[in-house]
Amino acid sequence: MNKQHLEENYYVCGHTACAGCGQSMAVRIVMNAAGKNTIVTNATGCLEVFSTKAPESAFGVPWIHSLFENAAALASGVETALAYQGKKENINVIAQAGDGGTADIGLQALSGMLERGHDALFVCYDNEAYMNTGIQRSGSTPFNASTTTSPSGKISAGNPRPKKPMVEICAAHHIPYSATSSVANPKDIEIKVKKALKIKGPKYLQIHVPCPLGWRIDSSKTIEVAKLAVSTGLYPLVEYEYGKLAKSRKISSPKPVSEYLKAQGRFRHLLKNEEALAGVQKVADKNIEYYGLK
Amino acid sequence: MKKFIEGSYAMAEAAKLCRPGVIAAYPITPQTHIVENLSQFIADGELDAKSVNVESEHSAASCVLGAQAAGARSFTCSSSQGLILMSEVLFCIAGMRLPVMLVCANRALSAPINIWNDHQDSIAVRDAGWIQLYAENNQEAVDLIIASHKIAEDPKVMLPAMVCVDGFILTHGMEVVDMPDQKDVDNFLPAYDPPYKLDVDNPMSFGLLGTPDVYQETRYAIQKTLEDVLGMIPEVGKEFGDKFGRDSLRLVEEYKTTDAETILVAMGSVCGTIKDVVDREREKGNKVGLLKIVSYRPFPKEVVKSALKSAKHVGIIDKDISLGSDGALYSEIKSLLPSDQKVSGFIAGLGGRDIKLNSVENIIKMAREEENSCKFVDLNKDILWDKFKTI
């Protein structure tokens, strides 16, 4: 790690993330897009464990973690203190969590932060299961994915429920901005972070970040697999403004979901199960229609 | 200025006098009047602070954690289930060395649901690393809120403080309280200037992963600091006393203990009742005294030992119980005293059961007779679970 790297990045190398970790890549993009005048509140999870083992930290901006479910409540407190001190105009507050810390255990605090109108951006790094504890199902795990607590088996095709629609749940608070992005498209993340931080009020950004270990993919395939999630229609890139769908990224000729599924161990059981495979294709078709992706 | 006011109003005024920057609290009986009064002060422009109407006590504690880390003096208050919902965060606040101020309006824990007073809530979080002080009356509550800020925020301490006040008995009781002047409080308590905070010009990381290589040292550090706080309480208490004329901040209060043969030990508002009984007993020629514990955390072992050393009988009253063991105060104090000293533990006043003058008289009588570790006082045998009706 040289001096230049430290000066140019607000999330630096030296952390202990797995090779090919999508979350870690996305964090660097988010931090660098946000820049120096940013305070980060972080939920418990992989990111916190691999980036801030005492006495080291990979963060070049002020950063605080305390618990799993309270990143949004911490951000509410930090933002309020900055407002009290008259410093809020110049400082971004970003809360960040994995999908469990967002959609499950952290949902109440997140809803509170959005409803109260705090000037903060909540970033969810969505790797679609509890990866830090060993790949257990979360509310954000996709339909028919096999995890350690929703395993596929002789009579099960894996997780029986679709992903919790977090971007809509946040948009339903009629906040100024609620969007999705993907680590497959770094520029898209950068643009959305910068756009969100220009808006005063609560914002939500959910970034799709493959986890090579949990998804059982080669660590060199992170970006390739993330791209397939977008191009099949399984991970629509959308933006809501004040509760209304404002933009969606078009995919002119959507690829069949099997292209995405066959690349991952967590979906491998579907390749021999036509009915279950068709079920996942239905999810993509519904997304394409609902968000007008074509 | 002396005012005849409700306890919650007095405590809210005390919190206001400390000039908090951020207040976050979630409503729960009997704490509500405190946060309502603070909200009104802000709405009327009398208090320059930001209030956050959080969606739970967990978020209230998390919000003040974040605000205090960002460099703002922060205040919260709760009771009972609320404090227990906060408990996960309370351990974090102490572990992260953030001097948050909390007023606990003490209330029993469910089940059965019960909104009345005992000490089970704050006792249940006694191991969190917070300074815990118990007030006998509303004057003490006011004084302890102001004085404990000074200790908590000392750069050598940087630990949170919880002032425990008996729900309803104090929070909803009307008493004459001498409210300090803002000028004097400003003079006593300087603006919050922490040695570390979330600062974009000096970026630091808070709340890191503590591996087995470092974790134990973080606990040792809190323990050593709390031991130092034992020495600071009398010092800051004297400074507070010189300025405001009251010795509310102290480790313990010894009431007629010097020559006492029987000493009762208790915390909180029941000490007022006990003092009345002590006076009556003294009139009858019985040498009875009271040792009131003000600082429960840190626990002043040596002071307690020395105060009780000449007593023939010690009766310890707990408004809490570690079910399956004994009352909290009893366990701590019994272990300090010689095994041949007669020390009895009494459980009383749970879930708002009144501890009356004759309850205390009975306790004195029982303490003089046989030794008990966990004797429940004023049980109604008619409603006991069948199996135990023969007690």
Side-chain angles (χ1 to χ4, degrees):
Chain A
M1 198 186 328
N2 60 32
K3 194 162 176 282
Q4 196 185 351
H5 176 77
L6 284 172
E7 281 168 1
E8 289 173 358
N9 291 280
Y10 296 102
Y11 172 77
V12 299
C13 58
H15 55 73
T16 57
C18 305
C21 171
Q23 181 179 31
S24 188
M25 294 177 207
V27 171
R28 184 163 42 88
I29 300 161
V30 171
M31 291 299 113
N32 289 345
K36 176 183 178 288
N37 287 335
T38 301
I39 296 177
V40 178
T41 71
N42 211 121
T44 305
C46 282
L47 171 59
E48 158 269 326
V49 172
F50 67 62
S51 67
T52 58
K53 187 182 123 200
E56 292 153 2
S57 173
F59 286 89
V61 291
W63 178 97
I64 184 167
H65 152 262
S66 73
L67 294 162
F68 200 173
E69 65 273 53
N70 71 354
L74 276 188
S76 302
V78 170
E79 186 258 359
T80 306
L82 293 174
Y84 171 71
Q85 294 158 341
K87 294 186 200 160
K88 184 62 202 79
E89 291 307 311
N90 311 314
I91 299 175
N92 307 310
V93 176
I94 297 180
Q96 52 185 17
D99 47 288
T102 302
D104 294 344
I105 199 166
L107 181 59
Q108 176 179 316
L110 169 58
S111 175
M113 184 193 101
L114 301 180
E115 170 275 317
R116 292 188 299 268
H118 292 281
D119 184 20
L121 168 64
F122 192 103
V123 180
C124 167
Y125 299 97
D126 183 13
N127 58 20
E128 305 190 317
Y130 290 92
M131 300 314 187
N132 194 38
T133 42
I135 320 154
Q136 291 85 19
R137 177 200 181 271
S138 80
S140 198
T141 298
F143 183 54
N144 281 349
S146 181
T147 71
T148 56
T149 53
S150 65
S152 59
K154 285 176 190 154
I155 57 163
S156 169
N159 175 38
R161 301 289 305 156
K163 283 169 76 74
K164 191 186 277 197
M166 277 308 299
V167 71
E168 279 79 22
I169 289 169
C170 293
H173 290 71
H174 290 201
I175 55 172
Y177 191 67
S178 178
T180 55
S181 187
S182 166
V183 73
N185 194 336
K187 199 71 199 166
D188 185 66
I189 299 176
E190 188 187 331
I191 290 167
K192 285 173 177 166
V193 168
K194 286 187 171 166
K195 180 175 177 179
L197 292 175
K198 280 204 187 95
I199 305 166
K200 199 169 159 56
K203 288 86 58 174
Y204 177 79
L205 178 62
Q206 177 176 308
I207 306 171
H208 199 219
V209 289
C211 167
L213 196 70
W215 295 15
R216 286 178 271 151
I217 59 174
D218 189 88
S219 59
S220 66
K221 305 284 186 200
T222 302
I223 300 299
E224 200 175 294
V225 168
K227 276 184 180 162
L228 282 167
V230 176
S231 59
T232 53
L234 282 173
Y235 215 92
L237 303 189
V238 300
E239 292 175 282
Y240 281 86
E241 290 174 6
Y242 296 97
K244 292 216 167 72
L245 185 63
K247 269 187 200 170
S248 52
R249 190 184 180 83
K250 305 294 175 203
I251 38 174
S252 47
S253 45
K255 293 185 173 159
V257 295
S258 57
E259 297 273 308
Y260 174 63
L261 304 180
K262 73 181 183 194
Q264 305 172 55
R266 63 174 175 159
F267 291 120
R268 195 157 296 142
H269 60 286
L270 300 180
L271 303 175
K272 291 172 281 179
N273 182 340
E274 269 183 39
E275 196 189 335
L277 184 65
V280 179
Q281 184 61 55
K282 244 188 214 170
V283 174
D285 294 346
K286 203 175 131 199
N287 283 341
I288 291 163
E289 194 193 331
Y290 184 83
Y291 296 107
L293 301 181
K294 266 203 200 168
Chain B
M1 197 207 303
K2 284 190 176 169
K3 295 179 178 176
F4 182 63
I5 45 180
E6 193 200 39
S8 294
Y9 185 84
M11 294 170 213
E13 272 224 347
K16 173 185 156 214
L17 287 168
C18 297
R19 298 190 187 277
V22 175
I23 296 164
Y26 188 80
I28 184 166
T29 303
Q31 150 268 32
T32 37
H33 289 186
I34 303 172
V35 64
E36 284 170 6
N37 282 312
L38 284 164
S39 301
Q40 194 65 52
F41 295 151
I42 295 172
D44 291 338
E46 292 172 23
L47 170 60
D48 175 25
K50 301 273 182 196
S51 163
V52 188
N53 293 152
V54 282
E55 79 297 334
S56 72
E57 286 91 354
H58 196 282
S59 283
S62 300
C63 190
V64 292
L65 188 164
Q68 193 87 32
R73 183 175 282 155
S74 302
F75 178 87
T76 186
C77 44
S78 196
S79 293
S80 183
Q81 307 308 126
L83 193 76
I84 296 303
L85 186 55
M86 282 183 174
S87 65
E88 188 194 21
V89 193
L90 299 182
F91 280 77
C92 266
I93 291 172
M96 294 170 77
R97 307 302 295 252
L98 296 168
V100 165
M101 169 59 57
L102 185 152
V103 170
C104 172
N106 285 106
R107 166 184 149 181
L109 290 178
S110 293
I113 185 169
N114 173 296
I115 60 168
W116 296 274
N117 167 249
D118 67 32
H119 292 161
Q120 197 70 56
D121 49 2
S122 54
I123 290 295
V125 295
R126 67 181 179 177
D127 301 333
W130 286 58
I131 295 165
Q132 262 195 11
L133 306 173
Y134 287 75
E136 177 187 334
N137 51 46
N138 287 329
Q139 184 68 64
E140 279 191 4
V142 164
D143 294 347
L144 292 177
I145 288 168
I146 296 166
S148 59
H149 271 85
K150 181 127 176 166
I151 294 174
E153 293 175 2
D154 189 307
K156 295 193 296 291
V157 178
M158 294 299 280
L159 281 174
M162 184 183 301
V163 173
C164 302
V165 297
D166 285 325
F168 290 117
I169 301 169
L170 296 191
T171 55
H172 291 55
M174 301 286 290
E175 279 186 335
V176 174
V177 179
D178 190 358
M179 290 307 301
D181 289 339
Q182 183 69 64
K183 189 165 51 67
D184 292 336
V185 175
D186 289 345
N187 201 260
F188 172 77
L189 183 67
Y192 181 52
D193 182 21
Y196 41 78
K197 64 178 174 182
L198 294 164
D199 178 1
V200 291
D201 295 322
N202 180 25
M204 293 170 78
S205 292
F206 289 67
L208 309 193
L209 171 70
T211 61
D213 295 335
V214 301
Y215 182 87
Q216 192 158 300
E217 284 70 17
T218 66
R219 287 304 179 263
Y220 176 77
I222 295 175
Q223 175 68 9
K224 292 318 271 181
T225 301
L226 284 171
E227 284 170 22
D228 293 343
V229 169
L230 281 178
M232 292 172 72
I233 286 175
E235 280 171 30
V236 177
K238 185 177 180 309
E239 190 189 336
F240 184 89
D242 290 346
K243 194 166 277 302
F244 299 100
R246 289 180 300 274
D247 58 355
S248 306
L249 179 66
R250 51 196 155 175
L251 296 167
V252 300
E253 179 191 352
E254 293 184 68
Y255 187 76
K256 303 188 179 175
T257 53
T258 320
D259 63 340
E261 289 173 1
T262 304
I263 300 182
L264 299 186
V265 188
M267 302 196 290
S269 63
V270 72
C271 291
T273 311
I274 297 173
K275 284 174 182 172
D276 279 355
V277 177
V278 166
D279 291 347
R280 290 176 179 207
E281 292 290 322
R282 288 272 168 183
E283 278 168 26
K284 288 188 246 167
N286 297 327
K287 291 183 175 171
V288 179
L290 163 71
L291 176 67
K292 176 174 92 181
I293 306 294
V294 178
S295 174
Y296 179 65
R297 285 292 179 271
F299 193 69
K301 291 182 191 173
E302 293 309 317
V303 174
V304 169
K305 229 163 55 177
S306 146
L308 297 176
K309 68 173 186 294
S310 315
K312 275 194 201 153
H313 319 101
V314 177
I316 300 162
I317 301 174
D318 270 290
K319 289 171 105 172
D320 62 84
I321 179 164
S322 174
L323 292 165
S325 180
D326 300 308
L329 259 187
Y330 170 81
S331 303
E332 310 228 10
I333 294 172
K334 173 70 182 165
S335 69
L336 298 173
L337 300 177
S339 56
D340 57 353
Q341 194 169 4
K342 207 165 174 184
V343 183
S344 286
F346 300 93
I347 309 295
L350 299 189
R353 177 76 50 91
D354 271 344
I355 302 177
K356 297 177 180 159
L357 293 171
N358 68 356
S359 319
V360 179
E361 283 161 7
N362 282 339
I363 287 170
I364 292 170
K365 206 167 140 241
M366 287 188 277
R368 283 187 184 139
E369 291 164 3
E370 54 175 333
E371 202 171 358
N372 284 292
S373 62
C374 185
K375 181 89 180 166
F376 277 68
V377 179
D378 294 339
L379 281 181
N380 181 350
K381 288 176 187 164
D382 293 340
I383 56 170
L384 279 177
W385 186 28
D386 279 352
K387 199 176 166 190
F388 294 117
K389 271 199 172 154
T390 52
I391 287 175

